């Protein structure tokens, strides 16, 4: 982190909220707007947003090098994120930038590339989920239909910390719930880099 | 292991089956008898049983030194197991004997001593449990009432491998289900010692 | 934690420093005195000390209930710690008190009881150790003679966090090194309880 | 696995052994030949080899779909492996094929892609390494110059098991040592798939 605040960028695909009136009713300023709103109430956090429809899909090296924690929501258009942007995000995570992947971003190109393997799932909608925090780094989801899911889970790749958090289906105002907001706020503070290197792998070229 | 067969001892408290007719109807030969019955169908496993009402609570150093895997079911009387027997079991586990603790044995004196901490839980009866095998060493239990539980979990202490498995409430013929029998049989083969030392810690006295 | 400071109690066997002039020269105020000295320079930490020769071996329920982190150095007399005191420490750790076990305390009665198994080792003196921090919760020791050792390692039992740290042989002024002091100070802040319960297991009696 | 034997393919870059007489003297049949030689002495293992100079770099979908465990040695030319071949190997690992990456293959394109992050290191040659097996899935390397390294380490990605093993510098006849041969043979048996799926992620398309 540079300075005293954690610099968060909330990246959102921002498709459903513009195309479907019932989703727009839930998130009139977009999911990114809703997340920014509650994060900004914290004195130690400052927030930018970015969306898929912006130039270069809202991403740039300069933006990410000045982002401590990237929050990522994507679903319908996640295959459209360019390979170049995927590598850009992966590179910054390996150098130390935190990443919080929300909901369907489990199957984003970015998560598949960063983890080296896809998290996959079957799903249905309109079921009840209960979240059990079984460890500070692991939330277990219980579903009414008989399933379980690792609904919150942490990873490390290179110097970067990654948190995947399942809740956030766009039809429900999940990100307006204080308990969910608390979890994401805590995750931001956890994922903020302690170390951030200029280059990763940071020794291989010097040595080879 | 000595010889070609895995030597299993099934230790059972054997209280409910003798005191309550409805439990006796489920397990006329005791829970230990039911477990012995399915384990003995495997050519690589030989089985003895022991119960709390036997001399010295069914336990002796000689028995345990000749046991590769001890299966333990206890509930109503588990506080009556003597401290000496607890230390005897702990000592053999540390030297390499496998231990499979079933159902309420999560809170047995033996498990509390071996783990160094109690596994605790709240419970109710007459609910549905679904078991999800999320990893070869971890079964997750889903309960109809909204809870989750680590229903199958492995530990190591010293040279010994330990498997705790939650299903097995005495009112239901759980141990007659082929899927449950398969899990316990697999656990026996996993917990059988690869190494077994004569003394544990096996170097401290020679060195001090 | 109650209040704003982390309440540390440094418990020391305090035998070598009184019996051997060469050790007294290294630690004139005892190892506990040396540890207190550097910990007290931190505004967020307050320190008490206790030694084996004090009434009830320096331990009491009142002291431990008001201790956030217990630091423990023992060696020659560790078998003399009473079983009652071992259980007292174990109980508070399970309820949330942090524990930092130093050097030969790997084989203290307290660590053996809390872990459920002894950490054992072979050793020789007058070798060089290099410490590699391979993870925030794991320090690896490299020894000139060809050995490796997990010289810093964390555990959890119940609600309590435990840190074992190998360096600290009494003949060398290990605890006067700034790097070692930094590690122990960090460990105090890590081990300070986030949750501390009144009774552990905290639900079993109400339910049974 | 299909049939009774584990089908191993040893892939070798095969550059040093052909270009440098001193390496050719150590491995006249190539590193892949030396590995095949000792693996073939096991009745439960059958071995093919493949090298970079063969058509399509020695790789094909048909070959890999009929390989239970792929052993991979690469160094000087590992950047030349095509992206298409990298994805082919990654895909089969995710579906269940085992992978054993040797020596400099820690930094192969394949390992970087499969792990989602590079393992990096600094090195020098002509030092002594001692291997400590600290866990069945973890070998720790001690080096005379004061370093440690996780010289044997396991990973899982999708359904596939991966073993990285550091020893194997081409100037030394490492793969002729019986202890090293035993470790690699054990790794082959461990990495052989228990499950192998036709498609991975094996449910996402059906559902999406």
């Amino acid at each position: 982190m540079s300075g005293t605040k954690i610099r968060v960028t909330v990246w959102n695909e921002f498709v459903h909220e513009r195309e479907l009136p019932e989703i727009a009713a839930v998130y009139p300023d977009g999911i990114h707007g809703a997340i920014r709103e509650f994060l900004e109430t914290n004195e130690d956090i400052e927030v930018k947003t970015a969306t898929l429809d912006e130039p270069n899909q809202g991403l740039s090296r300069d933006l990410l090098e000045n982002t401590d924690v990237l929050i990522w929501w994507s679903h319908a258009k996640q295959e459209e994120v360019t390979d170049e942007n995927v590598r850009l995000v992966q590179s910054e995570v390996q150098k130390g930038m935190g990443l919080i992947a929300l909901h369907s971003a489990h199957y984003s190109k970015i998560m598949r590339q960063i983890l080296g393997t896809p998290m996959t799932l079957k799903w249905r909608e309109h079921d009840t989920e209960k979240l059990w925090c079984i460890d500070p780094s692991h939330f277990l989801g219980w579903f009414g239909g008989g399933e379980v899911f690792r609904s919150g889970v942490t990873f490390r790749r290179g110097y970067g910390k990654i948190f995947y958090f399942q809740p956030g289906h766009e039809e429900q105002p999940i990100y307006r719930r204080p308990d969910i907001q608390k979890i994401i706020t805590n995750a931001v503070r956890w994922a903020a880099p302690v170390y951030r290197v200029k280059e990763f792998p940071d020794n291989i070229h010097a040595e080879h």
Side-chain angles (χ1 to χ4, degrees), chain A:
Chain A
M1 286 181 280
S2 82
T4 53
K5 292 204 178 193
I6 302 172
R7 300 164 303 172
V8 173
T9 298
V10 184
W11 190 96
N12 181 20
E13 177 183 290
F14 197 31
V15 172
H16 302 304
E17 304 98 310
R18 290 186 304 169
E19 295 187 351
L20 302 169
E22 65 271 28
I23 311 299
V26 177
Y27 291 117
D29 299 319
I31 285 173
H32 55 295
I35 293 174
R36 178 173 56 187
E37 189 180 328
F38 73 78
L39 283 178
E40 281 186 339
T41 63
N42 298 286
E43 290 194 356
D44 59 335
I45 295 175
E46 64 184 30
V47 186
K48 287 181 181 165
T49 62
T51 57
L52 181 67
D53 60 319
E54 295 175 2
N56 195 37
Q57 306 186 328
L59 297 170
S60 70
R61 181 173 300 278
D62 182 62
L63 174 69
L64 294 182
E65 286 182 348
N66 290 287
T67 294
D68 295 314
V69 180
L70 178 66
I71 297 180
W72 190 271
W73 197 103
S74 63
H75 183 208
K77 303 283 187 189
Q78 50 199 3
E79 295 303 314
E80 295 184 13
V81 175
T82 65
D83 288 350
E84 190 180 26
N85 276 334
V86 167
R87 283 191 294 268
L88 188 62
V89 172
Q90 180 182 32
S91 169
E92 290 306 314
V93 168
Q94 291 176 344
K95 291 192 274 180
M97 181 181 73
L99 175 65
I100 299 175
L102 295 174
H103 198 52
S104 294
H106 76 282
Y107 199 68
S108 58
K109 283 174 76 174
I110 280 172
M111 281 294 274
R112 275 146 51 195
Q113 178 69 16
I114 286 176
L115 297 185
T117 192
M119 300 170 72
T120 61
L121 53 85
K122 300 192 183 195
W123 82 95
R124 75 188 118 62
E125 300 177 354
H126 310 299
D127 193 359
T128 300
E129 176 175 13
K130 292 192 184 191
L131 275 184
W132 293 90
C133 180
I134 58 173
D135 184 89
S137 66
H138 198 159
F139 291 81
L140 195 58
W142 172 103
F143 291 86
E147 299 83 7
V148 290
F149 189 71
R150 47 179 193 171
S151 294
V153 58
T154 62
F155 304 91
R156 287 169 189 253
R157 289 294 184 274
Y159 288 89
K161 287 184 264 187
I162 301 156
F163 180 56
Y164 169 72
F165 191 53
Q166 185 277 330
H169 186 57
E170 64 275 6
E171 295 180 8
Q172 304 292 334
I174 302 288
Y175 299 123
R176 300 205 184 285
R177 292 177 57 125
D179 48 6
I180 297 292
Q181 294 176 353
K182 180 70 175 171
I183 290 168
I184 294 174
T185 305
N186 285 347
V188 163
R189 290 176 179 136
W190 170 81
V194 177
Y195 302 106
R196 186 155 185 173
V197 296
K198 295 262 183 218
E199 198 177 354
F200 184 83
D202 55 346
N203 50 20
I204 201 75
H205 298 294
E207 291 287 322
H208 248 102

